[in-house]
Amino acid sequence: MKWKPDSSFDTHVLAAGNIAAMAAAETTSSKTAALLQDLLRFDTTNPPGRTIEQAEYLKRIFDAAGIPNEIVRTPDEGRAHFIARLKGDGSKRPVLMAGHSDVVPAERYMWTVDPFGGVIKDGFIMGRGAMDFKGGQAVFARAMLMLAESKIPLARDVIFLAEADEEAGEYGTGWLAKNHWDKIDAEFALNEGGWIFRDKAGVTRQVNITTRDKIYAGLKLQVLGRPTHSSRPMPDSAIGRLTLALAKISVWDTDPTLTPQTRAYFEALSKTTEGPLAADLATLGKSEDPTALREAGKRVSEQGDYPLLWHALMRNTVATTAVKAGVKENVIPATAEAYINIRLVPGSVPWDVLKQVEAAIGDPSINVSLATTMSEAEDREYYDKATNAAASSTETDLYKALAESSKKVWPEAQVVSALFEAGTDALAWRQRGVPVYGIYPYPLDNDTLERMHGNDERISIKSLDEGTEMIFDTLSKVAGNNQLT
């Protein structure tokens, strides 16, 4: 049975009877899971992106642990950042862990549980943000609390940041860096990003640490037609032509666009895979033949263990995400529009993809333009800077500690530097020369991965505990007085 929203349900009241009843079905002794349950019970859906109550809750947690902290309020009183700082002796610059508090909307009628109930089901914590990224927040926060409890002497400050406005809005880390850089300045930072993959047998086989993100862009398709009464339909209406164009895009794909980083990633994958899939992954890692890359890429995208992820990593992706048309049910409208979201492989620019989309549509009456509020010169400068930005070094103490601690917790896993197929708010640090490393700090399978931003989002309690152990060990290595060998 699907969970049905109650019109009287207040998402800011944690003691609602239906939530308590569902949450009581399964319990846990895991402190990280219990913390995540509490975080999920704050509805921080963005928009409106209200995070102040969650920030106040975190403040109580860190106050009780004796860790200095503060809430940084934005011009929007409901949107707030939380920062805690565990002090070291200052002989080294700080390490920062950042994770966002806001979440995307949930279609409640499609969920089997209350998305803001913090429900445990079959060993998983369920809820909007369980994986992206309140689960990561819970892991980072618990690891920092454990570090304080351990009394390990620290050579550097450890900063924990719970951010607002990562999913949408103007008061995210860019605003924070512009107005309060001294509070988040660090030698290097940890953020969301790379995936930790667990196979069907339950063995963690790969840890991806992302050192670079794909680049976000968008296209707008606009069709002009002739408005008239709906009783006299026209064969070339604006909606009809847009529908045909979107149908063509839905069955079209860009060719593989591989960089040295993504080639190395697929080559590393090929060494932990068997059979025809291993051969196709090796082709993506080494081949320069466009036809061979296209064919191997198609098979990997259809038959791989993580087909949607691997498909996205090897090419510039194109996805229709919004359609707008119509003013009344009995009026054939004069215009129809669609928004196409693009994620660019570094080295690509949106104008190249724009031309490819125009060719795929093959209809000059459809205007395809860059969806932007900036001038063309500003756009060119932005994308030139984004595509030329260097990946974070794999030679820093933080990357080495992440790799070493991952192998300690998951000895059968291969640690790989990777490109993140989506985007993060790490740009605020990268623009200032601070290396940022991305990781979703818990092993997961493809089913869990594909629930991200979808229905019944979840993360397993076992994965949360293993991730907490890994991050605690990483912090002990990178911030403690004992140096890496």
Side-chain angles (χ1 to χ4, degrees):
M1 178 180 291
K2 300 290 186 185
W3 182 84
K4 295 180 180 179
D6 181 345
S7 61
S8 65
F9 178 70
D10 182 351
T11 56
H12 292 296
V13 179
L14 304 184
N18 60 336
I19 292 179
M22 286 186 287
E26 291 186 43
T27 60
T28 177
S29 60
S30 165
K31 292 184 178 180
T32 304
L35 175 57
L36 175 56
Q37 285 183 283
D38 286 346
L39 296 178
L40 291 172
R41 290 168 183 158
F42 293 96
D43 183 351
T44 55
T45 301
N46 198 352
R50 187 176 181 86
T51 56
I52 181 63
E53 286 84 7
Q54 183 179 311
E56 290 170 343
Y57 167 80
L58 287 169
K59 180 168 180 56
R60 293 193 294 273
I61 295 291
F62 281 84
D63 280 347
I67 300 174
N69 65 82
E70 62 181 315
I71 294 173
V72 179
R73 297 177 181 269
T74 73
D76 180 331
E77 66 176 41
R79 302 171 192 249
H81 302 269
F82 172 81
I83 303 173
R85 183 182 290 256
L86 185 60
K87 297 292 290 184
D89 64 21
S91 58
K92 291 186 176 182
R93 297 188 61 223
V95 56
L96 178 140
M97 300 180 291
H100 60 91
S101 301
D102 60 327
V103 298
V104 298
E107 296 174 290
R108 291 182 172 220
Y109 67 95
M110 296 293 291
W111 286 60
T112 62
V113 299
D114 173 10
F116 300 102
V119 176
I120 300 176
K121 184 178 179 181
D122 301 326
F124 289 85
I125 306 291
M126 312 284 290
R128 174 57 82 226
M131 192 185 128
D132 180 32
F133 186 67
K134 291 187 178 182
Q137 271 195 351
V139 168
F140 290 168
R142 273 301 307 155
M144 186 168 175
L145 291 165
M146 289 165 62
L147 195 65
E149 293 164 3
S150 72
K151 307 295 185 183
I152 295 173
L154 301 178
R156 62 175 95 237
D157 293 0
V158 179
I159 306 170
F160 168 73
L161 167 64
E163 318 148 2
D165 271 4
E166 191 273 345
E167 296 289 1
E170 60 184 309
Y171 299 117
T173 57
W175 176 88
L176 192 61
K178 180 179 179 180
N179 294 279
H180 301 283
W181 177 243
D182 61 308
K183 299 180 188 297
I184 60 171
D185 187 13
E187 182 175 342
F188 26 56
L190 189 59
N191 204 325
E192 64 182 342
W195 306 109
I196 303 173
F197 292 134
R198 176 168 282 159
D199 66 17
K200 294 177 182 178
V203 179
T204 299
R205 297 291 184 184
Q206 188 173 32
V207 177
N208 296 337
I209 303 172
T210 51
T211 57
R212 195 172 189 178
D213 298 347
K214 289 182 82 173
I215 302 164
Y216 192 104
L219 300 178
K220 184 172 79 170
L221 274 58
Q222 185 178 55
V223 189
L224 301 179
R226 183 162 56 90
T228 188
H229 196 283
S230 62
S231 65
R232 298 183 294 276
M234 299 175 293
D236 63 342
S237 70
I239 288 179
R241 280 182 285 146
L242 180 63
T243 300
L244 289 173
L246 295 180
K248 292 177 181 178
I249 291 172
S250 71
V251 296
W252 167 80
D253 206 355
T254 58
D255 287 336
T257 301
L258 295 154
T259 67
Q261 183 180 30
T262 51
R263 284 185 181 278
Y265 174 80
F266 285 116
E267 187 172 357
L269 274 180
S270 72
K271 296 174 181 176
T272 59
T273 310
E274 298 177 349
L277 179 59
D280 284 333
L281 291 168
T283 296
L284 293 172
K286 297 178 180 178
S287 178
E288 298 290 344
D289 181 350
T291 301
L293 289 172
R294 192 179 302 117
E295 292 174 352
K298 186 175 187 299
R299 288 190 293 270
V300 166
S301 297
E302 294 173 348
Q303 302 167 19
D305 295 337
Y306 297 87
L308 296 182
L309 172 64
W310 292 349
H311 173 272
L313 286 175
M314 72 177 77
R315 55 172 51 82
N316 298 315
T317 56
V318 174
T320 303
T321 56
V323 179
K324 180 181 178 182
V327 292
K328 198 172 186 291
E329 66 271 14
N330 63 349
V331 177
I332 295 175
T335 62
E337 296 179 352
Y339 180 86
I340 294 178
N341 185 244
I342 299 171
R343 303 299 174 111
L344 298 163
V345 173
S348 300
V349 292
W351 297 276
D352 293 340
V353 180
L354 185 153
K355 292 177 182 176
Q356 294 168 16
V357 169
E358 286 180 329
I361 293 171
D363 183 350
S365 73
I366 296 178
N367 181 58
V368 184
S369 62
L370 194 64
T372 180
T373 58
M374 297 188 292
S375 68
E376 183 176 348
E378 289 172 327
D379 281 327
R380 296 279 180 185
E381 180 182 4
Y382 172 82
Y383 287 107
D384 283 347
K385 186 179 294 184
T387 201
N388 290 323
S392 297
S393 170
T394 58
E395 297 301 317
T396 66
D397 283 352
L398 179 55
Y399 184 92
K400 291 176 181 177
L402 283 166
E404 187 176 311
S405 297
S406 295
K407 291 293 290 183
K408 179 180 177 180
V409 176
W410 304 292
E412 297 181 70
Q414 183 179 31
V415 180
V416 184
S417 166
L419 173 71
F420 188 42
E421 79 276 10
T424 70
D425 53 7
L427 192 62
W429 291 276
R430 287 193 171 123
Q431 284 183 331
R432 291 164 175 79
V434 176
V436 182
Y437 303 96
I439 197 162
Y440 281 80
Y442 17 69
L444 45 80
D445 57 17
N446 192 55
D447 181 36
T448 299
L449 175 62
E450 292 189 2
R451 294 176 189 230
M452 180 181 180
H453 284 205
N455 303 322
D456 281 356
E457 183 179 350
R458 68 182 192 180
I459 195 67
S460 81
I461 295 172
K462 182 176 185 292
S463 292
L464 286 167
D465 287 342
E466 290 177 3
T468 303
E469 181 185 351
M470 187 274 283
I471 295 298
F472 169 72
D473 195 69
T474 297
L475 294 177
S476 300
K477 286 180 168 68
V478 77
N481 274 324
N482 294 327
Q483 302 299 308
L484 285 169
T485 56

